Amino acid sequence: MIDPSFESSSNIQRTSRLVVTAGVALAIIFLINAFLTTYLLRENTIKDKSDELANLTFILSEHASQTIFSANAALESVLDIVELSKIESEKAFVEFASKKEQFELLLAKTKSNAIIDVSTFVDSHGKVINFSRAYPPPNIDLSDRDYFIFLSKNNYEKTYFSAPVQNKGNGKWVFYLARRVNNSHGQFLGLVLVGVSVEIFSSLYEQVGINLGEGSSISLFRDDNMLLTRWPFVNHAIGTINTNQLIQSSLNSTKRGGVILTDAPSVYSRNQPAERMVSFRAVSGYPFVVGSIMSKDLYLANWYKSLSGVLITTGFTLVTLIVGILLFLHIYRKNARVSFMAHHDVLTELPNRILIADRLVVSLENAKQQKTKFAVMFIDLDNLKTINDSHSHNAGDFALKEVASRMRSCIRKSDTLGRIGGDEFVVILPNIESEADVLQVAEKIRHAISSPILFEGAHLSTSASIGIALFPDHGDNEADLMSNADMAMYEAKNSGKNNISIAHKVITST
């Protein structure tokens, strides 16, 4: 049988099908045309912006390569002077590096390139023995820096590129190019450092980013995905590792010059998903990666402008169709609600006596055909009248809705829970294996109902008397099953309430 709560008249069904089918058909025609037009426009816009972003990233990578080359050249020129001095001991290195003329050398190298923030000599213990900011230098210990830890332990002959740090001298963000100073026997004497200003890099990127537009960003990473600098500048993110896979995915991509579209969470925007276009490119000759990003609004800005014409062309027709369909759906929902309320309890929205009777017929027919068992429970709340009298009818209504919710959570989706009277409920349990299964569900319901209900600061106490009848043990038709379940419920109530009783004999209908 058809569930009455979902029945509607044949006229409504026919009208709804005709209106929806006609509306959808017309809408599809216009939407396909609009979709094809907007799709082509969008693809062309994305291609143009991808080419623009790929070219920009290439230029930025060349700029970074030249900048780092210049800073590294300054570093190597200082190291050449040290090596020409043929220093053999730590003491000799300290004496050499501490001289005023070395300060002037470091100062000249720093001033020779705006990107260089500081040039420094460091002894074998990590102490600054001369640097370009002041002479003599303050007492600064760099033994905890990554470049010192690595180079003091490894006879590394190339330039080490450090993580960005806040300079102990002025607090500015700097990442260092560091070279190890050895004597002729390869023994460690100290370091020569050139610090590259993170903030100057960011200001250079700002000029480019402003031309791109709001919603863009430019970043410089070390090849281990550590952020060295970025525009817009995010102070707390400098020196952190970018853990998403976008950088590597872009570097590995062979399409559109490494440009990819993504909606992955952004590590610099509270890990919120954001649709954007990204392009990363390795810096030639150095362990760095440059990245450029455009937000979706930015790279589709021209498409949005073109889209307006298409929308105006198709909009009026679609709006007319939508209004018509919405009007129909409103009428349909109104009728469906009326049908629902005709077969459901107003307070709890559970199936009412009419729908319970229909469900019982369906369960009985299925059980007979499939030769299975099912059970009917009658549930009566033991003290609803006391709650109404002691607190209010509002409290009673609240208790009924809460009890209905608790019972619903105790049964399967295939089961039926309904309200057939003021404090009386019925549960139909199809496809059960044994009496023990029914008792388990009944006990679960009884226990759920007996828990106190909080209403406006008061604890409402109730319990349930439950009667059970099983097909075919206690009846082979609706009337007998309902009658026996009802009798069992009264037996449970008369034996002290808050009990469960199973029909012990079959009462045949007359």
Side-chain angles (χ1 to χ4, degrees):
M1 297 180 66
I2 298 174
D3 187 340
S5 66
F6 294 103
E7 286 185 342
S8 59
S9 71
S10 59
N11 287 335
I12 291 177
Q13 292 176 347
R14 279 197 301 270
T15 302
S16 65
R17 284 197 297 268
L18 287 172
V19 171
V20 171
T21 302
V24 169
L26 288 173
I28 287 174
I29 293 172
F30 285 101
L31 287 174
I32 288 176
N33 179 67
F35 174 78
L36 289 175
T37 303
T38 55
Y39 174 78
L40 292 174
L41 286 171
R42 190 178 190 275
E43 286 300 299
N44 289 333
T45 301
I46 290 175
K47 182 181 181 303
D48 291 342
K49 284 298 180 181
S50 295
D51 294 340
E52 179 184 339
L53 198 64
N55 291 334
L56 173 62
T57 309
F58 173 76
I59 293 170
L60 291 173
S61 69
E62 290 297 306
H63 167 265
S65 179
Q66 294 170 12
T67 302
I68 300 301
F69 175 83
S70 177
N72 195 51
L75 173 67
E76 290 183 344
S77 66
V78 174
L79 187 65
D80 288 342
I81 294 173
V82 175
E83 291 177 348
L84 287 173
S85 300
K86 299 187 182 302
I87 300 170
E88 293 295 328
S89 68
E90 294 180 25
K91 181 179 179 181
F93 176 65
V94 172
E95 291 176 355
F96 167 83
S98 301
K99 294 178 180 179
K100 182 71 175 289
E101 61 186 275
Q102 305 310 331
F103 164 73
E104 294 172 351
L105 169 67
L106 297 176
L107 184 60
K109 295 298 180 184
T110 302
K111 290 182 176 181
S112 67
N113 192 332
I115 203 71
I116 298 177
D117 180 75
V118 65
S119 303
T120 310
F121 283 117
V122 181
D123 70 13
S124 61
H125 302 290
K127 181 181 178 182
V128 172
I129 51 181
N130 210 336
F131 80 152
S132 58
R133 289 206 182 92
Y135 184 83
N139 184 22
I140 300 175
D141 184 8
L142 303 178
S143 61
D144 61 338
R145 299 303 198 197
D146 62 341
Y147 51 80
F148 182 84
I149 294 171
F150 178 81
L151 292 175
S152 64
K153 296 179 180 180
N154 298 277
N155 193 7
Y156 188 68
E157 297 181 354
K158 298 179 181 179
T159 300
Y160 181 88
F161 298 91
S162 80
V165 294
Q166 286 184 287
N167 190 283
K168 292 187 177 181
N170 59 13
K172 293 183 178 180
W173 282 102
V174 179
F175 66 88
Y176 287 94
L177 283 62
R179 290 291 294 270
R180 176 183 167 115
V181 178
N182 290 340
N183 62 15
S184 59
H185 302 291
Q187 295 175 325
F188 177 60
L189 301 181
L191 301 178
V192 178
L193 308 177
V194 166
V196 175
S197 171
V198 165
E199 294 172 11
I200 290 180
F201 247 116
S202 180
S203 65
L204 292 173
Y205 288 165
E206 180 179 10
Q207 298 173 25
V208 178
I210 289 174
N211 290 329
L212 279 178
E214 185 178 355
S216 63
S217 65
I218 301 172
S219 304
L220 178 67
F221 294 90
R222 204 166 64 176
D223 61 1
D224 61 353
N225 293 359
M226 177 181 286
L227 181 65
L228 299 179
T229 187
R230 183 182 189 274
W231 178 85
F233 196 78
V234 182
N235 190 70
H236 69 272
I238 302 301
T240 60
I241 299 293
N242 188 315
T243 56
N244 65 36
Q245 301 299 314
L246 291 179
I247 296 176
Q248 199 58 46
S249 296
S250 176
L251 293 176
N252 293 338
S253 176
T254 58
K255 298 180 179 179
R256 293 175 175 171
V259 176
I260 58 177
L261 301 178
T262 180
D263 60 356
S266 172
V267 296
Y268 306 121
S269 300
R270 300 180 181 178
N271 272 322
Q272 295 299 313
E275 293 187 59
R276 56 203 188 278
M277 178 184 290
V278 303
S279 175
F280 292 93
R281 190 179 294 268
V283 175
S284 178
Y286 299 98
F288 298 108
V289 175
V290 170
S292 302
I293 296 175
M294 287 185 185
S295 68
K296 181 182 179 181
D297 289 341
L298 183 57
Y299 72 76
L300 289 181
N302 291 336
W303 179 69
Y304 291 140
K305 294 177 182 178
S306 302
L307 188 61
S308 59
V310 178
L311 294 177
I312 291 172
T313 303
T314 57
F316 180 76
T317 302
L318 289 177
V319 167
T320 302
L321 286 173
I322 290 170
V323 169
I325 292 172
L326 287 177
L327 181 60
F328 169 77
L329 290 177
H330 173 73
I331 296 171
Y332 175 81
R333 291 189 184 115
K334 185 176 181 180
N335 282 293
R337 183 63 181 173
V338 170
S339 177
F340 179 88
M341 296 310 299
H343 299 91
H344 288 77
D345 174 53
V346 175
L347 179 64
T348 63
E349 296 193 349
L350 294 176
N352 61 15
R353 187 181 295 272
I354 296 172
L355 185 52
I356 285 292
D358 183 82
R359 297 277 178 88
L360 184 58
V361 170
V362 172
S363 297
L364 187 62
E365 290 177 354
N366 290 338
K368 288 180 177 179
Q369 291 175 4
Q370 300 170 13
K371 300 189 183 303
T372 58
K373 292 185 176 184
F374 77 94
V376 178
M377 288 187 194
F378 263 53
I379 302 170
D380 184 83
L381 301 186
D382 292 326
N383 58 341
L384 181 63
K385 184 176 185 304
T386 301
I387 293 175
N388 287 330
D389 295 342
S390 301
H391 297 278
S392 68
H393 282 281
N394 287 338
D397 289 346
F398 182 84
L400 283 169
K401 289 191 286 186
E402 176 63 21
V403 165
S405 176
R406 292 181 183 183
M407 286 194 288
R408 191 182 290 114
S409 68
C410 295
I411 61 177
R412 303 166 298 181
K413 289 184 178 180
S414 59
D415 301 333
T416 297
L417 168 65
R419 183 186 179 203
I420 59 172
D423 57 0
E424 293 183 341
F425 297 84
V426 171
V427 177
I428 300 174
L429 303 173
N431 296 319
I432 60 168
E433 296 293 332
S434 65
E435 183 180 290
D437 294 338
V438 183
L439 284 171
Q440 185 178 7
V441 175
E443 178 58 30
K444 189 175 180 182
I445 291 174
R446 189 194 66 78
H447 183 266
I449 292 174
S450 64
S451 299
I453 298 170
L454 182 63
F455 174 75
E456 296 182 352
H459 286 84
L460 310 179
S461 297
T462 187
S463 58
S465 297
I466 302 175
I468 300 171
L470 285 81
F471 171 85
D473 302 352
H474 307 127
D476 60 359
N477 58 68
E478 304 96 279
D480 289 350
L481 288 169
M482 293 286 280
S483 177
N484 279 296
D486 191 27
M487 292 290 291
M489 180 269 292
Y490 278 105
E491 185 175 306
K493 185 177 286 289
N494 293 333
S495 64
K497 301 183 180 180
N498 197 23
N499 285 323
I500 300 169
S501 177
I502 298 179
H504 54 81
K505 63 179 179 179
V506 175
I507 302 176
T508 59
S509 60
T510 60

